[in-house]
Amino acid sequence: MRKYIFVTGGVCSSLGKGIAASSLGSLLESRGLSVCMIKIDPYLNVDAGTMSPYQHGEVFVTDDGAETDLDLGNYARFTGSSLSAANSITTGQVYQEVIRKERKGDYLGKCVQVVPHITDEIKRRIYSLGEKEGVDVTIVEIGGTVGDIESIPFLEGVRQIIHERSRRNALSVHVSLIPTVTGGELKTKPTQHSVKTLREIGIQPDVLLCRISSEMDDGMKRKIANFTNIDYECVLSAHDVNTTIYEIPVVYRAQGLDRVVCERLGLECENDHFRAWRTVADTWKSSIEEVEVAMVGKYIELADSYKSIDESLVHGAIANGVRIKIRKVDSESLNTAGQAEKALDGVDGILIPGGFGERGIPGMIEAARVAREKKIPYLGICLGMQIQVIEWARNVLGVPEANSSEFTPDGPANVIALLEEQVDVIQYGGTMRLGLSQSIAIEGTLIHAAYGTTSVKERHRHRYEVNNSFRERLQESGLIFSAFTPDGQLVESTEWPTHPWSVGVQFHPEFTSSPLKAGPLFRDFLAAAVERMKSAV
Ligand code: GLN
């Protein structure tokens, strides 16, 4: 019998349900079980592709090119579960499918309703993914907070699955909050009420993860267990860790989360590879030196807009045994000469992330110039690679009007441009190059050294490319093109000559990096930054 775990949240949002679900996935995997992770977002958008990073944080791209919620990024960093469009379920998708079937006449004239039609579609999606992947455990995280109007059909679907499969095969894990009120007193009442709300819906949680500022004492655990009908050993302290989120699996493991889950679901597992996670947490704790890297982008104010890059930098730091400080620089503040030098003073590395639209571009070009001239290690991701090319064309090749046709559609020197065949498509939303594809790295380049192979497979999310009509001139002036699409038609990576370490990539290496295996470019970028830091001392 396939097993299911449903992770819900109570009291308020932003409790770290995604990290809790991912940590549980990592614990089960380290016991040799295979997991499939699903995120349910109760909003009406069909996917996250059209959402502003300001509203919703980063868009996470899967191998098959789905633009999904950033929580899938957590799943990818904590678990080896394969992720595709099907791992992200939204209300919009569910309704779209039910309405499509209704229009086709599939319901044979019946009245189409939330129960059973919407709930059946929800269950079908959850059941079919676990079955298709043939995994031991499907972990489903339900976004939002219990009690929200939007999530009711999903919770009804969960209730039905637990009933259909029995609690021996389907488990409810609830993440709740123990707030501190004035005077420092901890309060369990919101958690009691949140469990009560869940029970009114017909779901009795089996495991409770209590978010709390410092470790919960035994007395409180017993009190909560008593009020919520949850076994004492299943009430866990999910206290704040002031180290790294990668210590959270260690915290849960110490309290036996994987043990109680396996016991309750009747999962027998002999393996135990948990040591790798402990090593990650220990490396972080024992690191003393700190490198500082600047990230120059335009969505800087919102903490989650470059989530996967932030995390990948941490992975790179762990791989080099150092700590990392990320200096977030708003590219719009770097518009006049001298500002970039000042804002970037003292950093050991400069990273320009992906982005869309014209705003903030001049500041990014300035930042790239500073990195090139001052020989500061540079990593350019997607737009960051395009900026590297534009900056080179302007300041080294000597074409001051060099630009991207994204910003100057009729410009005279668009070194970054749409492919001919895309020009007509753009008005209909354009064709974005999305998802996993292969690049061929040229031997002897930094990208080849990083990946240790000529075959590099990473995910894309962009429309514009290096303009082939400028390729020769750019190359003749010294710019290195270090990777191409397998047909040699498109540039995938650029490097500066006579520079300690600089790589711009058209793809997004941040979507495949994890703490157990840092993305090779982040590892090497950080190694170059560490070298610069040490030589400056
Ligand atoms: N706006 C650029 C393009 O569409 C870069 C996209 C990105 O950085 N993800 O090509």
Side-chain angles (χ1 to χ4, degrees):
M1 196 52 128
R2 228 166 277 292
K3 310 290 179 178
Y4 297 87
I5 299 174
F6 298 98
V7 180
T8 51
V11 182
C12 65
S13 58
S14 304
L15 287 183
K17 271 197 311 289
I19 303 281
S22 308
S23 299
L24 178 53
S26 73
L27 290 178
L28 296 180
E29 278 190 346
S30 52
R31 284 181 166 252
L33 298 163
S34 56
V35 301
C36 160
M37 308 287 302
I38 299 180
K39 173 76 196 286
I40 288 179
D41 277 304
Y43 47 64
L44 280 164
N45 304 60
V46 172
D47 63 39
T50 53
M51 286 192 195
S52 156
Y54 279 122
Q55 267 244 316
H56 204 71
E58 156 194 286
V59 170
F60 183 82
V61 181
T62 59
D63 275 357
D64 65 345
E67 298 174 284
T68 66
D69 189 271
L70 57 83
D71 268 316
L72 261 65
N74 283 324
Y75 303 161
R77 289 185 277 276
F78 281 81
T79 75
S81 124
S82 81
L83 296 166
S84 72
N87 296 68
S88 161
I89 303 177
T90 70
T91 300
Q93 287 167 22
V94 172
Y95 273 78
Q96 197 179 45
E97 179 61 9
V98 170
I99 292 169
R100 190 191 64 77
K101 284 188 189 156
E102 186 272 333
R103 293 288 84 189
K104 237 177 90 211
D106 285 3
Y107 297 111
L108 308 172
K110 280 199 206 101
C111 177
V112 181
Q113 294 178 299
V114 173
V115 183
H117 302 102
I118 292 294
T119 46
D120 279 354
E121 176 59 22
I122 291 167
K123 288 193 293 177
R124 187 188 67 75
R125 285 174 184 246
I126 294 171
Y127 282 141
S128 68
L129 194 61
E131 235 112 90
K132 193 175 121 232
E133 307 243 320
V135 293
D136 300 313
V137 187
T138 302
I139 301 178
V140 186
E141 177 194 347
I142 293 108
T145 306
V146 167
D148 291 348
I149 293 174
E150 288 91 343
S151 57
I152 288 175
F154 291 104
L155 292 174
E156 171 57 16
V158 169
R159 185 197 66 75
Q160 291 182 20
I161 292 180
I162 296 175
H163 178 69
E164 284 165 20
R165 299 287 159 121
S166 90
R167 286 175 69 189
R168 187 75 181 146
N169 299 303
L171 211 70
S172 158
V173 174
H174 191 55
V175 185
S176 181
L177 177 72
I178 312 283
T180 312
V181 291
T182 329
E185 211 183 327
L186 291 160
K187 291 292 178 191
T188 64
K189 191 68 58 98
T191 291
Q192 295 175 38
H193 281 283
S194 148
V195 172
K196 190 166 157 240
T197 309
L198 203 50
R199 286 167 61 186
E200 278 164 8
I201 299 168
I203 301 172
Q204 164 65 52
D206 300 281
V207 176
L208 193 62
L209 305 177
C210 301
R211 296 286 291 109
I212 184 165
S213 51
S214 53
E215 191 162 358
M216 186 161 53
D217 65 34
D218 229 38
M220 187 177 285
K221 274 193 190 178
R222 285 192 196 284
K223 178 178 170 188
I224 293 172
N226 189 26
F227 276 111
T228 56
N229 262 1
I230 297 172
D231 289 344
Y232 162 76
E233 61 167 2
C234 295
V235 177
L236 269 63
S237 168
H239 45 272
D240 294 347
V241 291
N242 49 16
T243 49
T244 153
I245 51 166
Y246 304 119
E247 201 184 351
I248 293 173
V250 178
V251 169
Y252 287 148
R253 162 85 176 201
Q255 298 178 72
L257 176 62
D258 45 334
R259 183 181 50 78
V260 295
V261 164
C262 289
E263 275 168 18
R264 260 136 235 272
L265 289 175
L267 286 163
E268 292 192 8
C269 21
E270 285 147 24
N271 291 336
D272 198 346
H273 312 295
F274 189 67
R275 206 170 327 120
W277 281 100
R278 218 165 257 144
T279 310
V280 166
D282 290 348
T283 309
W284 180 262
K285 278 193 217 158
S286 61
S287 308
I288 302 161
E289 287 171 311
E290 185 176 73
V291 287
E292 187 171 9
V293 163
M295 191 197 283
V296 185
K298 66 170 178 175
Y299 310 114
I300 291 300
E301 308 97 274
L302 185 81
D304 276 348
S305 45
Y306 302 111
K307 182 79 185 138
S308 292
I309 299 182
D310 292 344
E311 293 304 322
S312 301
L313 287 170
V314 171
H315 308 157
I318 292 172
N320 284 282
V322 293
R323 298 221 174 177
I324 183 163
K325 186 168 166 194
I326 305 175
R327 189 189 296 180
K328 301 247 168 144
V329 179
D330 181 354
S331 59
E332 278 191 289
S333 69
L334 306 183
N335 287 342
T336 58
Q339 271 175 332
E341 272 87 352
K342 220 156 129 210
L344 299 169
D345 187 40
V347 295
D348 310 306
I350 295 176
L351 185 151
I352 299 190
F356 294 83
E358 202 181 355
R359 199 163 54 79
I361 296 297
M364 292 181 205
I365 296 175
E366 273 297 281
R369 178 187 60 76
V370 171
R372 184 178 53 78
E373 289 179 352
K374 295 199 178 296
K375 300 205 183 300
I376 304 172
Y378 177 87
L379 180 57
I381 295 179
C382 206
L383 177 65
M385 181 196 107
Q386 299 174 357
I387 294 290
Q388 196 183 9
V389 176
I390 297 170
E391 190 280 329
W392 179 275
R394 286 187 188 181
N395 300 329
V396 182
L397 187 60
V399 183
E401 58 288 355
N403 217 324
S404 162
S405 59
E406 180 177 5
F407 319 126
T408 50
D410 303 315
N414 284 330
V415 289
I416 305 294
L418 282 181
L419 294 181
E420 281 295 312
E421 58 267 31
Q422 285 205 347
V423 175
D424 294 334
V425 194
I426 191 81
Q427 55 188 319
Y428 305 107
T431 45
M432 186 101 86
R433 195 165 154 225
L434 274 171
L436 191 81
S437 63
Q438 191 193 22
S439 309
I440 305 295
I442 308 297
E443 279 183 44
T445 60
L446 293 170
I447 187 171
H448 183 268
Y451 285 88
T453 168
T454 51
S455 170
V456 174
K457 287 184 182 144
E458 294 283 9
R459 297 174 202 160
H460 292 73
R461 182 174 187 249
H462 68 110
R463 286 194 181 89
Y464 298 85
E465 309 281 353
V466 170
N467 186 344
N468 282 339
S469 42
F470 282 90
R471 207 151 114 177
E472 222 168 288
R473 281 176 71 194
L474 288 164
Q475 251 170 331
E476 275 166 11
S477 62
L479 187 64
I480 300 164
F481 293 135
S482 48
F484 299 91
T485 45
D487 61 5
Q489 285 304 304
L490 305 175
V491 171
E492 290 278 17
S493 166
T494 53
E495 296 175 16
W496 287 319
T498 60
H499 188 277
W501 199 92
S502 69
V503 177
V505 280
Q506 192 57 86
F507 51 74
H508 290 267
E510 71 272 26
F511 295 139
T512 52
S513 179
S514 81
L516 299 183
K517 198 170 185 303
L521 290 174
F522 292 97
R523 183 199 61 214
D524 287 7
F525 172 53
L526 263 292
V530 170
E531 205 159 298
R532 183 178 169 92
M533 173 183 73
K534 288 194 172 151
S535 65
V537 177

